[in-house]
Amino acid sequence: FSGNPSPVTAYGVYHALLAALRHKGQDSIKGLTIAIKGAGSVAEFLVFGFPPNDSNYDEFREEFPGLIHLKPKAIYYAEKDSNRSFEFKKMAREFGANTGSLLKAVSPEDIYDVPGTDVFIPAAVRYSLASEHIDHLRNSMSGSRFKLVVGPENNQLQNEEQDIKKLIEAGIIYIPDYAANAGGLIDVHFGKIACDTQQPYDQKASLRDAASIGKTIEGILKEAKRSEKSTVAVAREMAEGIIEGIIT
């Protein structure tokens, strides 16, 4: 068993983000202002990339060196739990994070008010998109042509029906959490195969599977546009269809 689903989860979130950007007519991170709520293990891999001395990642490193290496305008991050953020802050210092650098720390309250935010990444424990937070995001994203929310956090919306309506009214595209963070389950799936067969965990196969999350997100966004339904409604219908197909 892999023991740590974070690298695969982060890789899947990256492909979800790329799919959402392509939907808005851009195929890279270059020039974007990114705000990340949470600085735990998944955020660490997402921002800084894969461990440098692990050959399992060599095949994927060129494509995904970590967001900080893909020429964003700036990445802002916030984490109130000092234990969770210790490694993240250490890597930020090693990268050279300081005043005026690409990587900037702000308070958990201020992360919603970063001017010109193009992408908001929920990566905390839960409820990073409570109604009052969406009001702040509406303002901070007002000058952006992207207005994307995509991240690994579970249970991002506190009141799903109310909050997704507010996001739509604000012109913000929301990628459902369980679609973006499916890399975690993909990792568990390959871990179970390793346990059942008593064979080594296949890291590369897990990562290749996680890359397909991008196509799933593309499908959700296209259907949401065609049907004029929310991305949450479309993702739920797709998931239920898959489950029903498995059961029957």
Side-chain angles (χ1 to χ4, degrees):
F1 187 70
S2 74
N4 182 9
S6 297
V8 182
T9 304
Y11 191 56
V13 171
Y14 170 65
H15 279 280
L17 174 55
L18 282 185
L21 285 170
R22 286 193 295 268
H23 184 73
K24 297 291 287 186
Q26 176 149 323
D27 60 3
S28 74
I29 308 299
K30 185 177 180 179
L32 299 184
T33 296
I34 300 171
I36 303 178
K37 174 73 178 293
S41 183
V42 178
E44 178 187 319
F45 285 107
L46 191 57
V47 171
F48 299 106
F50 299 127
N53 300 319
D54 190 331
S55 61
N56 282 313
Y57 299 100
D58 289 348
E59 177 184 331
F60 310 91
R61 231 181 282 279
E62 182 177 354
E63 176 202 3
F64 179 56
L67 297 181
I68 198 67
H69 302 289
L70 292 170
K71 300 182 179 180
K73 181 177 180 180
I75 296 177
Y76 294 79
Y77 73 93
E79 175 58 74
K80 65 180 180 180
D81 187 331
S82 59
N83 292 325
R84 274 170 53 89
S85 64
F86 176 79
E87 190 65 25
F88 192 101
K89 289 177 180 177
K90 177 184 175 183
M91 296 183 75
R93 286 194 297 271
E94 291 172 354
F95 183 80
N98 50 43
T99 303
S101 74
L102 289 177
L103 191 60
K104 306 177 184 183
V106 298
S107 72
E109 294 74 27
D110 291 339
I111 195 66
Y112 298 100
D113 296 310
V114 173
T117 296
D118 296 301
V119 179
F120 182 79
I121 299 178
V125 179
R126 61 176 181 172
Y127 299 156
S128 282
L129 290 173
S131 293
E132 64 270 20
H133 299 147
I134 296 171
D135 292 335
H136 284 265
L137 277 180
R138 177 197 293 265
N139 293 330
S140 66
M141 288 182 159
S142 61
S144 169
R145 75 180 181 90
F146 298 102
K147 300 182 182 179
L148 301 175
V149 172
V150 49
E153 180 181 316
N154 289 310
N155 301 314
Q156 297 170 14
L157 303 174
Q158 189 169 26
N159 184 321
E160 186 177 285
E161 184 175 350
Q162 172 184 306
D163 294 340
I164 192 62
K165 182 179 179 181
K166 292 190 74 168
L167 286 165
I168 291 171
E169 290 173 348
I172 297 171
I173 293 179
Y174 173 69
I175 305 303
D177 46 12
Y178 56 85
N181 68 22
L185 281 178
I186 289 171
D187 178 88
V188 170
H189 168 72
F190 280 95
K192 186 175 187 307
I193 290 175
C195 288
D196 291 347
T197 62
Q198 295 299 297
Q199 295 296 316
Y201 166 73
D202 194 336
Q203 179 85 66
K204 293 179 181 179
S206 185
L207 288 164
R208 292 185 194 118
D209 237 31
S212 67
I213 289 172
K215 291 184 179 179
T216 301
I217 301 305
E218 287 177 3
I220 290 171
L221 291 170
K222 287 178 181 178
E223 178 58 21
K225 184 176 181 180
R226 186 200 67 80
S227 64
E228 298 185 346
K229 295 178 180 178
S230 73
T231 53
V232 169
V234 170
R236 183 183 295 113
E237 289 173 2
M238 289 174 64
E240 289 173 350
I242 292 169
I243 292 169
E244 289 173 3
I246 292 173
I247 293 173
T248 56

